[in-house]
């Protein structure tokens, strides 16, 4: 099995550095993928902050409708990240970010990203993102837009997306009424500059919606009086 990455990682419970590696995941890995997801779902207090995948969704991805990369310590899966080639339907995120329908087949989703609790704090989500994005060009179809959804107030997940130069393009109700940011990265426009920067409190969703409707996008965090606020700005087209 081809290794995509090798390094060391700290087990926060054992306070011990251990070697770890990353490789692509396949259909035969499904049972352990679901076990790791279940452990992570048990460990989080705010269940609505992470949209768990169903067996059917994992099967969809693993049957060549996406890509999954896993991180391993001593032969045990400790985290994974998934990309999904979505069906083109009324739920497609392309509608939410204003893409023309003829561009929808150029969209791939960043799906679930999970890390076991004892390995958090190692920036493993970010490393998984770097590795999976390097694997993206190996898929048969070429994609232009990376999209995903993130729950408001989910600071770690938003930080992860901003580190990848994704921006908040919309704030909508998804998944049967749950509020979600829709983030996107255009792989053909990587050197974007911004103007008219403004910060907004994390929980002021109405102000954020107003700014998004006025052509602003969310581009990162800023510390204001010791608290995180979201930074919005207008892209220079």
């Amino acid at each position: 099995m081809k290794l995509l990455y090798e390094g060391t990682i700290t087990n926060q419970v054992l306070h011990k550095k251990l070697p770890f590696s990353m490789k692509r995941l396949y259909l035969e890995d499904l049972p352990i993928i679901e076990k790791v997801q279940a452990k992570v779902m048990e460990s989080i207090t705010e269940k609505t902050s992470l949209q768990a995948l169903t067996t059917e969704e994992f099967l969809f991805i693993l049957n060549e409708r996406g890509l999954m990369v896993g991180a391993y310590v001593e032969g045990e899966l400790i985290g994974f990240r998934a990309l999904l080639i979505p069906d083109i339907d009324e739920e497609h995120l392309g509608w939410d970010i204003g893409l023309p329908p003829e561009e929808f087949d150029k969209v791939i989703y960043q799906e679930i990203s999970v890390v076991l609790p004892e390995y958090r704090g190692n920036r493993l989500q970010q490393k998984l993102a770097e590795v999976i994005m390097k694997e993206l060009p190996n898929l048969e179809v070429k994609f232009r837009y990376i999209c995903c959804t993130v729950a408001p107030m989910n600071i770690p997940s938003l930080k992860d997306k901003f580190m990848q130069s994704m921006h908040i393009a919309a704030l909508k109700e998804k998944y049967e009424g749950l509020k979600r940011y829709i983030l996107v990265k255009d792989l053909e426009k990587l050197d974007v500059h911004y103007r008219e920067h403004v910060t907004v409190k994390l929980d002021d969703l109405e102000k954020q919606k107003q700014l998004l409707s006025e052509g602003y996008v969310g581009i990162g965090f800023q510390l204001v009086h010791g608290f995180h606020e979201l930074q919005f700005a207008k892209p220079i087209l």
Side-chain angles (χ1 to χ4, degrees):
M1 185 62 65
K2 178 190 168 194
L3 294 182
L4 304 176
Y5 183 91
E6 289 183 278
T8 58
I9 195 164
T10 301
N11 183 310
Q12 310 288 14
V13 175
L14 302 175
H15 305 292
K16 186 179 176 185
K17 269 194 184 292
L18 297 163
F20 87 106
S21 59
M22 292 187 202
K23 67 182 182 70
R24 191 165 167 181
L25 298 173
Y26 295 95
L27 210 49
E28 62 265 27
D29 300 306
L30 180 58
I32 189 62
I33 289 168
E34 294 199 304
K35 275 186 188 171
V36 170
Q37 176 177 258
K39 279 187 190 173
V40 169
M41 290 305 292
E42 281 170 27
S43 74
I44 57 177
T45 49
E46 188 55 58
K47 305 298 182 194
T48 57
S49 68
L50 182 66
Q51 187 70 21
L53 296 191
T54 64
T55 300
E56 290 70 26
E57 287 169 321
F58 280 127
L59 286 169
F60 190 73
I61 293 168
L62 295 166
N63 277 311
E64 299 187 359
R65 290 287 299 175
L67 179 63
M68 287 188 76
V69 168
Y72 285 82
V73 169
E74 297 174 340
E76 297 292 322
L77 185 67
I78 63 161
F80 60 81
R81 191 155 203 149
L83 295 175
L84 165 73
I85 302 167
D87 282 334
I88 295 175
D89 56 18
E90 67 278 359
E91 285 293 309
H92 196 282
L93 296 180
W95 299 113
D96 299 311
I97 61 173
L99 284 182
E102 60 268 22
E103 294 273 276
F104 285 12
D105 61 353
K106 297 178 184 173
V107 172
I108 192 165
Y109 293 177
Q110 268 203 16
E111 272 293 345
I112 196 166
S113 170
V114 302
V115 174
L116 289 178
E118 58 266 39
Y119 290 101
R120 289 179 194 152
N122 285 284
R123 299 175 74 187
L124 183 55
Q125 280 203 24
Q126 192 184 331
K127 287 172 189 155
L128 281 162
E130 288 167 11
V131 169
I132 205 166
M133 292 308 291
K134 280 181 186 168
E135 285 297 293
L136 181 59
N138 296 331
L139 294 179
E140 285 182 21
V141 182
K142 298 303 169 206
F143 297 95
R144 175 175 174 178
Y145 304 98
I146 317 296
C147 289
C148 70
T149 62
V150 175
M153 309 300 289
N154 186 342
I155 293 174
S157 194
L158 282 169
K159 277 185 176 175
D160 168 64
K161 304 303 180 287
F162 291 144
M163 286 291 291
Q164 297 178 62
S165 302
M166 299 181 85
H167 67 258
I168 297 170
L171 174 57
K172 299 281 180 82
E173 285 197 355
K174 307 293 285 184
Y175 316 122
E176 299 175 351
L178 295 174
K179 283 190 170 64
R180 289 291 185 266
Y181 294 119
I182 292 92
L183 291 98
V184 63
K185 179 177 183 176
D186 183 345
L187 296 175
E188 291 184 11
K189 291 183 181 173
L190 296 178
D191 190 24
V192 183
H193 297 278
Y194 297 96
R195 61 189 173 88
E196 295 183 48
H197 293 70
V198 60
T199 63
V200 189
K201 287 187 168 58
L202 288 176
D203 58 356
D204 192 349
L205 300 184
E206 286 310 307
K207 177 68 173 173
Q208 293 172 31
K209 275 182 137 174
Q210 182 194 329
L211 288 170
L212 289 164
S213 72
E214 293 171 3
Y216 287 81
V217 295
I219 58 171
F221 287 108
Q222 195 162 318
L223 281 175
V224 179
H225 306 304
F227 294 96
H228 280 101
E229 291 196 4
L230 276 172
Q231 188 176 45
F232 284 79
K234 287 187 176 179
I236 300 171
L237 302 173

